Structure formats: C-alpha cells, structure tokens
Amino acid sequence: QLYALKTPENKQALLADRKIQEGQTSLFDVHVNELRGEHATRQRLQLEYQRSGKEWIDPQLGEEITKLQWPVAFIDFETSMAAIPWHAGLKPYETVPFQFSAHILHHNGRCQHKEWLNVEDRVPTLPFIRELRTTLEGVGSVLIFTKYETRILTEAIGLLNRLHHDESKEEREWIAELLNSGRIVDQHAWVHRYHFHPQMSCRTSIKVCLPSVWKNNPSLHAHEYFKRYYLEKDGRILDPYKTLPDAELDGQIIEVREGCGAMQAYREMIIGRG
C-alpha cells in the first residue's frame, strides 16, 4: 500500500480504485508521474526505497539533532476517556491524562527514567501537570512522537481552568509557556521528512518505525539501555513491544503494550471491572 493514497483531483477518491479497475494491483504499478500533492514527496521515497530494499536517512536529520537543547526529555502520555465520565465536572469522552513516562537523556549519554501514575479515584489532571512540571525542570528540548502530547496539554488548560480555576493559575501558565517555547520537538515529523525503511511500507507511526530501526541496527542490541529488549523467537528478532511484560491486576493478566491496554488496566484499577 502507498502512503496516503489519494488523488490530488479528488481528495476522497483513492488512486487504488482506478488501478484495481485497470488490473494493476502492485504497489509498483503506481508511477511517480501520477503522484502530486502534499504527500507526493513521501510517496516517491517509498516507491524508490521499497524497490531498492534500502534504508534512507537524510543528512538533515543529523543537523536537526544537533539543534537540540540538552538535556533532552522523551515523554509519553497515557490517557483515558469515557462516554459516561467517572467524575463530576468531566464531559462525555473528555480526554484525561493519568500517566506519563519521561526518559531524560544528558549530553554525556546518561539516561534517567521518571514516571508518574495516578492511583487515586479522582480527576488526575492537576496532579499530573504538577508532577510533569517538576520532572521537566531544567530540561531543554522535549521530544514527542506525533502531536498527541501537545493536544493533551492544550486541553488540560481548559479543564484546569474549569475545574481548578483558583488553584491552577501557575500550572496553566506553565503549560502555555512550554507550548509556545519552541522546545517541543515532534519526532514523527523527523520520520516523515528524513527517514524511510522498507519494513515501514506506507506507515510512519512509532509502532512500525521503532521495530524497523531496532531489527536492522545490531549496535542497539548490545546497548546498555536496550539489550534487555533483544529477544529472538524461531530465529527472528522480536518486535520490542512484544518483549514487554504483561500486567497482573487482581489475578487477571492484561497486555499493556499500547494505549487501549493501558486504558483498560487503568479503568479496572480505579473503578473495578465492568
């Protein structure tokens, strides 16, 4: 499948439909002169490097990395939402952050892992932001993957203003300052512009980018911070997500390897099984 497969003439019409009607069902039946519009550059890269079977890294990626302000923090949020809110004051399907992970990498290679998880039956946004603010104190660049974290922070300003107006002024100001500081760097944008591996095919999410980089860079397998995730099965290197341990809650095993699993485990931890 080709990345963002849409014709420029009709944004809703798939180029694939026409190709199928013409009996051309291979990715390589698509010609570069058919590719125009905002996604054409990425599509041409995919065609070229999937044909060659080679990884592509634009030298500009290295230049972008040198612009980072040290130490850098890699952050990831877990959130929950419910059609019927668990707590007074929340709206249906309002997104609430309940956990974050932060890996703080120093210029000398030292890495610190910090994390926070709400374990109380409450709206967790205010304590979440307070702990995140403490964790990021002294950090330079803040790295995310896609703009999900910036969306959650933006929404947190409104929620805090609505539920904790008097006591959250400093937290709301801190969020606004961070969002407008230029310190937040989206690694997904780096992938889109500067990297392609044939195993990624048409996708650029971290769920495909990370395994492709991991499986094809042996130097990572022996790295102090990563070697525990190097496992093989039937002679094949496992996707690092599959090496993560299961969680056990009240005797029930739950896979917590992506957002839905985390949301399920959190719901059962706070309000019990449905």
Side-chain angles (χ1 to χ4, degrees):
Q1 185 175 338
L2 191 65
Y3 178 80
L5 189 55
K6 296 178 181 179
T7 61
E9 294 80 13
N10 181 351
K11 294 296 184 180
Q12 303 303 316
L14 293 178
L15 177 61
D17 291 343
R18 178 166 59 82
K19 287 293 185 180
I20 291 171
Q21 290 175 0
E22 295 172 353
Q24 299 179 353
T25 57
S26 167
L27 171 67
F28 302 121
D29 287 330
V30 178
H31 303 289
V32 293
N33 60 5
E34 296 177 289
L35 303 175
R36 295 181 297 278
E38 60 180 319
H39 301 298
T41 299
R42 182 73 189 181
Q43 291 170 335
R44 292 186 183 111
L45 279 171
Q46 182 186 350
L47 287 176
E48 178 180 354
Y49 287 94
Q50 280 206 256
R51 276 196 179 97
S52 69
K54 296 180 180 178
E55 183 179 32
W56 173 76
I57 303 175
D58 191 316
Q60 182 65 32
L61 178 57
E63 296 183 24
E64 295 296 325
I65 293 174
T66 63
K67 297 177 185 177
L68 295 177
Q69 305 171 48
W70 296 88
V72 301
F74 299 83
I75 63 170
D76 180 56
F77 295 170
E78 298 298 341
T79 61
S80 180
M81 64 170 65
I84 302 175
W86 306 347
H87 305 286
L90 293 180
K91 302 175 182 178
Y93 294 110
E94 187 164 22
T95 307
V96 178
F98 64 82
Q99 181 182 29
F100 72 77
S101 172
H103 289 81
I104 300 174
L105 181 63
H106 296 261
H107 201 267
N108 62 5
R110 182 171 65 91
C111 185
Q112 298 171 278
H113 177 219
K114 299 184 179 182
E115 60 186 17
W116 183 84
L117 171 66
N118 178 61
V119 294
E120 299 181 28
D121 189 5
R122 61 181 175 180
V123 178
T125 305
L126 182 56
F128 175 96
I129 294 297
R130 286 176 171 169
E131 191 66 26
L132 182 66
R133 180 184 181 185
T134 299
T135 296
L136 296 183
E137 186 175 356
V139 164
S141 297
V142 178
L143 277 70
I144 58 178
F145 202 99
T146 76
K147 295 189 178 298
Y148 185 72
E149 279 72 20
T150 59
R151 179 171 76 82
I152 297 306
L153 289 171
T154 300
E155 293 177 1
I157 294 177
L159 186 148
L160 293 177
N161 186 56
R162 192 175 78 242
L163 299 187
H164 308 283
H165 178 77
D166 294 335
E167 57 182 317
S168 68
K169 183 175 184 293
E170 288 187 8
E171 287 75 19
R172 285 181 277 130
E173 290 177 347
W174 175 80
I175 295 172
E177 181 181 4
L178 175 62
L179 291 173
N180 292 285
S181 67
R183 294 163 49 210
I184 299 179
V185 178
D186 181 6
Q187 296 171 97
H188 179 260
W190 281 359
V191 172
H192 188 270
R193 296 170 187 163
Y194 308 129
H195 177 255
F196 178 81
H197 193 283
Q199 292 180 3
M200 294 168 60
S201 186
C202 63
R203 298 171 60 192
T204 53
S205 74
I206 195 169
K207 293 296 191 297
V208 296
C209 180
L210 174 60
S212 71
V213 172
W214 173 250
K215 293 177 182 180
N216 294 281
N217 288 270
S219 62
L220 297 176
H221 304 160
H223 192 282
E224 177 186 358
Y225 297 134
F226 308 135
K227 60 185 179 182
R228 61 177 170 162
Y229 302 109
Y230 180 77
L231 293 174
E232 292 188 16
K233 185 176 182 180
D234 300 326
R236 304 174 69 179
I237 300 172
L238 284 181
D239 181 325
Y241 285 102
K242 296 186 183 300
T243 69
L244 299 176
D246 294 330
E248 183 176 343
L249 187 63
D250 292 335
Q252 180 185 14
I253 301 300
I254 303 176
E255 290 188 3
V256 186
R257 298 188 176 97
E258 38 70 41
C260 290
M263 192 181 299
Q264 177 190 357
Y266 178 67
R267 182 188 66 242
E268 296 192 6
M269 180 181 71
I270 296 298
I271 65 173
R273 298 178 186 174

